[in-house]
Amino acid sequence: MTAFPSLLLVGAGRMGGALLAGWREQGLSRAFIVDPSSAAQSLAGTDVSVLEDVALLPSDFSPEAVILAVKPQMAAAVLPGYARFANTAVFISIMAGKTVQGVAEMLGGTPAVVRAMPNTPAAMRQGITVAFAGSGVSGRQQDLSERLLSAVGKVAWVQQEPMLDAVTAISGGGPAYVFLLTELLEQAGLDQGLPSELAKIMARQIVIGSAALLAASSETPEALRIAVTSPGGTTAEALKLLRADDALPKIFKAAIQAATERSRELSV
Ligand SMILES: NC(=O)c1ccc[n+]([C@@H]2O[C@H](COP(=O)([O-])OP(=O)(O)OC[C@H]3O[C@@H](n4cnc5c(N)ncnc54)[C@H](OP(=O)(O)O)[C@@H]3O)[C@@H](O)[C@H]2O)c1
């Protein structure tokens, strides 16, 4: 695999750091990180220089891609500092709720902007990132973006930017719903009088093991569910309650709808 071209990562926290780790596995030719935190300094190496401020970048540095991984609330203060790359680089923004137009306006000019929504399993290279390419993005820039984002998991593209609101609600927040289920399973064990250590380890291993089974199997989640649901048995009894009056599907649909609307409200 050929090394990535010159890159500039703006913000190397949880998500930026996960991306960097994925790129490093494939090789970096010349990369800079701008991040003022002391933790970011530990990411420096022969392949990566870490700077506290954009003003410290070498004047001859012209990245092919600038990855924007700062908190969305920092965007207005941070992005204008990168305006000088607006005509040459593709900007890949993972900032939640920042639209292509919003990012372009903060940079000035007519930059090529990809808006992407990853999720936290990126830290295990098991994420899913859904992306939208703004109108100024060339085929080559989109290919590079896909390569960069796929270093931490699967990548899919949408053709309409508003779809990213539902993506944010489902896949950005998705790990939280799975972790909530893990918490609920642990609590259920405690409620049934199981020792706390057993309740904890069972809840974790159910989720870990089920995910591994899903990953290895060619069956649908529905088929895997049916496989553990004997008619008239214990699981069937639990599912009967969970699905009575469509309770679980209804509340889940309403929750995702609320999160999607919240994403729309926050989008600028
Ligand atoms: N975490 C998720 O589940 C998730 C999912 C999808 C998208 N995202 C998006 O990913 C982005 C990063 O999130 P995160 O969870 O990785 O946040 P994070 O861990 O706080 O990382 C942000 C990093 O940016 C640094 N920073 C602050 N000011 C800066 C500046 N002026 N220039 C460059 N870097 C600066 C921060 O340093 P300090 O710590 O010193 O402030 C921190 O190291 C956000 O926009 C978020 O919306 C996150």
Side-chain angles (χ1 to χ4, degrees), residues 110-193:
T110 51
V113 179
V114 167
R115 179 179 166 197
M117 174 51 57
N119 63 3
T120 52
M124 305 306 297
R125 325 276 192 274
Q126 294 281 357
I128 168 117
T129 301
V130 182
F132 169 77
S135 57
V137 177
S138 69
R140 194 169 160 271
Q141 289 174 323
Q142 188 168 347
D143 289 347
L144 173 60
S145 305
E146 167 134 1
R147 228 188 116 198
L148 288 165
L149 296 168
S150 61
V152 290
K154 295 192 189 310
V155 176
W157 293 85
V158 288
Q159 302 305 320
Q160 290 151 358
E161 187 171 5
M163 285 186 178
L164 288 182
D165 292 313
V167 167
T168 302
I170 297 168
S171 108
Y177 316 140
V178 175
F179 297 134
L180 174 63
L181 180 66
T182 318
E183 293 173 63
L184 292 174
L185 284 167
E186 180 177 345
Q187 186 56 50
L190 296 175
D191 292 344
Q192 293 305 314

Side-chain angles (χ1 to χ4, degrees), residues 13-15 34-37 69-72 74 78 94-96 118 120:
R14 254 187 313 269
M15 203 48 89
V34 177
D35 190 316
S37 70
V70 290
K71 290 283 190 199
M74 307 282 307
V78 171
I94 65 164
M95 297 181 294
T120 52

Side-chain angles (χ1 to χ4, degrees), residues 214-234:
L214 188 62
S217 172
S218 57
E219 306 251 47
T220 62
E222 184 190 14
L224 293 171
R225 171 174 56 75
I226 290 170
V228 282
T229 315
S230 316
T234 55

